[in-house]
Amino acid sequence: MEEANFVFNMIGENWIAFAIISLLPMIFLLAYALIAILGELKISAFIQERLGPMRTGPWGIIQPVAEVVKLLQKEDITPDSANKPLFNLAPFIMFAASYAGFAVIPFSSYFVPSGINLGLFFLLAVGSLGIIGLLMGGWASNNKYSLLGGLRAVAQIVSYEIPAAMVILTIAVMAGSLDLQEIIRQQSGWFWNWFVFGGSGGWIKIIFLPFSFIMCIIYIIASLAETNRTPFDIPEGESELVAGYHTEYSGMKFAMFFFAEYANMFIVSAIITIIFFGGWNSPFGDFMGGPIWGVFWFVSKAFVFVFLQIWLRWTLPRLRVDQLMYVSWKVLLPFSFVCFLALSLLVMLK
Amino acid sequence: MKPNEIFKELKVHFGEEITELVENPSSDTYISVKPEKIDEICRFLRDNDAFKFDFLTLLSGLDLKEKLGIVYHLYSMELKHRLVLKTEVPKDSPNLPSLVRVWRTADWHEREAFDMFGINFQGHHNLIRILCPYDWEGYPLRKDYKEPEEYHGNRVPY
Amino acid sequence: MSEKKYIDIEFSQLDSERMRLFMGPQHPSTHGVLQLEVELDGEIVTDLIPHIGYLHRCFEKHAENMTYPQIIPYIDRLDYISSMNNELPYVMGLEKMLDIQVSEKVEYIRVIFSELNRIANHQIAIATFGLDSGAFTPFLYYFRDREMILTIFEKASGGRLLYNYFWVGGLAADVHPTFKEDITEAIRIIRDTNAEILNLLLKNKIFIDRTANVGILPADIAISYGVTGPILRASGIPLDLRKAEPYSIYERFDFDIPVGNGEVGTVGDCWDRNIVRFREMEESCKIIEQALKTFPSQGDVRENVPKRIRLPKGEIYCKAENPKGELGFYIISDGKDKPERVKVRAPSFVNLSALPEMSRGYMFADLVMILGSVDIVLGEVDR
Amino acid sequence: MGLLNRLNDPIGLDGIIFGTVEDLLNWGRSKSDWYLQFGLACCAIEFMAVNASHFDMMRYGCIPRSSPRQADFVIISGTVTLKMADRLKRVYEQMAEPKYVIAMGSCANSGGPYWEHGYHVLKGVDRILPVDVYVPGCPPRPEALQEGLILLQKKIRMEEIFRKRKRLAEEDLANQMNYK
């Protein structure tokens, strides 16, 4: 398997290269967070027939910069009755967990921070780590709203991990690999080779097309729940729990939660892109192919799903806790089992 | 059913308890009753098929200089008629039976009358202040009420 | 040894520790400064104590110290979302005591403005209810349309929110010349938005899941609690003072009383309460359209306004169907130019008292929805 | 103020660099004003109207937060009663520095129409909180509140950070000397 990392190719495998590689996603993440925050503000404004921020730079495009400058200056409150070590640690764990996910995200055929062959499994494992930060923050705040929010978040994320894991298992079966680069490579060619359309193969896959399509929808729903976005934003549901698990956080620590939330949004979008929509592959065969265009395709595909999350947030009401569990255990899980069996059959027939 | 018919009927059942029927061309007609058995009168009004006053619209306290008054506005959903009952209690011992067990809506109305006038509804399960803070002093809507100079460190008068 | 060994568990003894949660006065979904003391068993509400009075602005004390026309601005500030409706019963009561007959035009304007304000109120009610359920966008759509109604009021009275427009014996000022066209346009847009909201919010599967079979208030309990307005009608009782005891010129118009019939759940649940409000908006539009057809444009709206108001000795209970329920003023006059006592029967106050009954046994998230469906305004609850 | 608490006092360096840094910090704070969702009375409805599509408060960078910890300023929109005063003070104390207050409407400014007979009304919120901007009106028009917002942003833009810290430190030193 060839080394897919342009930094190593350029300056060799030394510590500078490692430093650059680990910082590159951070630079991307910072830029992305600013765009996503602005996108959230502007898209919500567009949906609601408003203008959104207008007075910070032209059309308010540097509004997120102002937010960051402001949040840096805010007083950093640690409540007196909070459990101070846990309270201060929680945002860092939360952020570290979501940043760790970036380690295996293949931005292009020529760049992946860490090309381990267990990428899919790693994403699943690290994705669950953020829950600890959530629960820690919720519990350590010593606030009843935070506690309720933290507990709800854990219940929700743990339940939705299962259908998500089923989907990922199916993909592993279909691709025969857990390596993200390998999964993407199997979807190369035209867009009908994507796993959302059953992967590459003969005409037999048309029978199984609905199953893979349902799988994709299941994963999108589960990913909404994992990132606590509407209609599953009950852990921080404003009208019920004020601000949920981060009620007591202010200043930079709150910004970390905020940042981690947006980072998570990108990670789940990236996973959807990788496992269903061909990652960095161009949809049209060799048209605009290659490593550089790969970054473009990957990021724009992921942004479509980020946009979808923002769109849903400003359209739908919120579910209740028990209804949320109902959706997970009684709808998504059986469906994902059926689809898993069907798609395994497809793999056998191929 | 007109108030005078109700008055006659009540007079038959309760006799002395029902004092008078006050009619005034420019204003509402009301029946004056004695406070001691107001709960029984109201229960009778609610349960009797001829009246069916199932709805307590309003319960208001009054300051009548020497006495405190309590006014009940009743309404019947089914028969669509209204009735006003009025009763008086002395200011130094403002006690009368509570109507919570007749109409549940009386709960908050009575608490408000207690809060504003200090009328003591006996048999009410939770007769505490409702609008003013729980440690407020005095009964604000009494005519001789003087507003406090200070409450919890905040000056009250302008 | 054949005897089966088991541990006898009394589930009532397995009581987990209950949590006492104080919602409010600063909480996004208490609609102002209401405090709810909630006892939670996990997420289930086992008990609920509303603490009100955080906006007790001493209306009744003010009323005793003001002359009769001076009270009208304070009445605006009771239920500040539907000020026009608030003024109506008060001025009608005084007119009845003073034996003043207002002109036809005044009656028409009063009815039209009351109904417009009813629409504005229901818009806020449904909008904030959507906000409670997490849907932010319908809130803004309704607020956008509400501005049109406020502009019509502003053109007539000069005020956006609090009007002091209905005077004893007439109105503060005549309506704007473009009054009819403005209202026709407003009604068209209101209907458009309503059709959109019906699909976006009220018929949304998630919304129905959240509101159907939640916060059920059976009719007999509703009556015992003295609940009025859309909440009572949602429980299946078609009591509307506009039909039951017609006042002003309401008996001339043809309109229906929407009642809850449990289309998606049980009669008297949160969804019913909202759909009743939603349908009432359409009925109000119908009333306004009928009124505009026969609207007498000639006449002075201030010809019967008395120079000085001095009520005869006596008392009156005047009431009208407010958007929230039966709003009543119990006015006692001792013959002076200031009232002896003005007592308000505030519909929100009475409706709120039924909240503990409605919400016991539901989940905490449902409590927010139930509170939203009661549609309270704290200015009126606390007076 | 968060990071600034950890900055050493750059005494004597109030030249171009720190002037620019100060400008940048003030710019950030003035352009990103998160407000506390907190309606009190009638004015709250006008406040919501300003929030909504027609006037759109987000144009000024104002984003609603429901937790006081994350809010930058609070709009006291309506009558503050004595029962509410303690709670309001507490909410204000829970907010993170730097924090600002806009008193919206006559009631918050002075008691408004309730000043004379309102035995339960706090006659002006400035009796318990430091108010930055007063917006008159009963209730103020949305345009008036927008004006108030712009005024608040101007005020934040002109704030001193480093020089004020220097002055405070000097005053502090002087006080200590006097005390000794």
Side-chain angles (χ1 to χ4, degrees), chain D residues 81-155:
Chain D
T81 57
L82 293 171
K83 199 174 178 177
M84 194 65 208
D86 294 348
R87 268 69 169 189
L88 190 62
K89 219 166 48 193
R90 194 157 164 188
V91 166
Y92 177 75
E93 279 158 6
Q94 280 176 344
M95 286 166 63
E97 292 278 351
K99 52 192 173 187
Y100 306 93
V101 175
I102 294 181
M104 180 187 181
S106 307
C107 295
N109 292 347
S110 67
Y114 301 98
W115 68 277
E116 195 181 356
H117 304 291
Y119 53 85
H120 189 242
V121 176
L122 187 74
K123 314 297 186 315
V125 73
D126 45 7
R127 291 186 180 192
I128 53 166
L129 305 179
V131 178
D132 290 281
V133 177
Y134 295 88
V135 182
C138 188
R141 290 188 59 85
E143 291 87 344
L145 183 61
Q146 285 175 330
E147 169 85 33
L149 281 174
I150 293 169
L151 277 178
L152 180 69
Q153 293 189 339
K154 271 189 189 162
K155 183 177 171 168

Side-chain angles (χ1 to χ4, degrees), chain A residues 163-221:
Chain A
M166 281 307 295
V167 175
I168 284 176
L169 182 64
T170 316
I171 295 299
V173 168
M174 282 166 81
S177 167
L178 284 171
D179 186 351
L180 292 174
Q181 290 286 45
E182 179 60 31
I183 292 172
I184 293 171
R185 237 171 260 130
Q186 290 196 3
Q187 304 176 56
S188 59
W190 285 73
F191 59 85
W192 53 74
N193 283 343
W194 294 351
F195 279 139
V196 67
F197 302 115
S200 59
W203 291 106
I204 185 94
K205 76 173 186 185
I206 289 185
I207 308 164
F208 296 96
L209 210 122
F211 295 107
S212 56
F213 205 71
I214 289 170
M215 271 302 193
C216 180
I217 289 168
I218 288 174
Y219 193 78
I220 290 173
I221 293 172

Side-chain angles (χ1 to χ4, degrees), chain C residues 40-304:
Chain C
L40 289 175
D41 182 6
E43 287 249 359
I44 309 283
V45 177
T46 51
D47 200 6
L48 174 79
I49 305 162
H51 296 277
I52 60 172
Y54 287 97
L55 196 57
H56 177 45
R57 300 193 280 194
C58 332
F59 167 77
E60 281 156 25
K61 191 80 177 174
H62 280 90
E64 286 171 16
N65 291 296
M66 301 281 166
T67 60
Y68 288 101
Q70 278 176 340
I71 297 173
I72 297 177
Y74 288 89
I75 288 172
D76 283 340
R77 283 155 182 80
L78 283 179
D79 176 359
Y80 36 78
I81 297 176
S82 48
S83 301
M84 291 279 184
N85 296 72
N86 287 2
E87 292 164 6
L88 188 60
Y90 179 75
V91 294
M92 282 196 314
L94 292 191
E95 278 157 11
K96 197 172 168 196
M97 275 186 101
L98 290 164
D99 207 14
I100 297 175
Q101 201 64 43
V102 295
S103 68
E104 191 89 326
K105 186 181 179 184
V106 172
E107 295 278 25
Y108 267 94
I109 295 174
R110 281 182 182 176
V111 165
I112 290 171
F113 276 9
S114 299
E115 292 307 313
L116 267 180
N117 212 333
R118 189 185 306 275
I119 294 173
N121 175 80
H122 287 345
Q123 280 180 336
I124 290 197
I126 296 174
T128 49
F129 188 72
L131 202 59
D132 288 343
S133 72
F136 198 70
T137 305
F139 169 80
L140 290 156
Y141 287 175
Y142 265 143
F143 260 77
R144 180 193 64 199
D145 287 4
R146 186 173 161 270
E147 290 293 328
M148 297 192 60
I149 298 175
L150 295 192
T151 314
I152 294 167
F153 289 159
E154 197 182 349
K155 279 180 178 173
S157 70
R160 264 174 60 87
L161 192 65
L162 310 169
Y163 312 108
N164 189 13
Y165 187 60
F166 295 179
W167 282 5
V168 179
L171 301 170
D174 205 342
V175 289
H176 196 263
T178 60
F179 163 76
K180 272 189 173 179
E181 295 81 60
D182 288 349
I183 292 183
T184 318
E185 176 68 10
I187 286 180
R188 191 182 64 76
I189 291 180
I190 288 164
R191 283 188 169 145
D192 277 1
T193 314
N194 273 1
E196 197 181 347
I197 298 280
L198 189 66
N199 286 326
L200 184 65
L201 186 69
L202 293 169
K203 291 273 171 79
N204 186 323
K205 177 79 173 73
I206 297 176
F207 186 80
I208 291 177
D209 278 353
R210 282 299 302 277
T211 50
N213 296 321
V214 165
I216 300 159
L217 185 68
D220 51 337
I221 294 178
I223 293 172
S224 181
Y225 269 105
V227 165
T228 46
I231 309 181
L232 183 67
R233 290 196 281 276
S235 296
I237 298 173
L239 178 83
D240 189 326
L241 290 180
R242 291 176 293 174
K243 277 256 201 257
E245 297 169 49
Y247 52 90
S248 195
I249 49 165
Y250 272 110
E251 72 271 13
R252 296 185 196 173
F253 303 119
D254 171 41
F255 62 98
D256 302 326
I257 306 173
V259 288
N261 42 21
E263 277 160 64
V264 297
T266 320
V267 178
D269 59 10
C270 287
W271 196 82
D272 272 353
R273 289 197 270 278
N274 270 286
I275 204 73
V276 163
R277 287 199 186 96
F278 186 79
R279 289 181 183 146
E280 267 178 28
M281 281 158 78
E282 176 55 34
E283 299 303 320
S284 294
C285 287
K286 269 160 65 181
I287 295 175
I288 295 167
E289 277 178 342
Q290 291 170 38
L292 281 180
K293 265 182 204 145
T294 49
F295 180 69
S297 38
Q298 300 302 316
D300 181 10
V301 294
R302 291 173 74 158
E303 60 185 357
N304 289 332

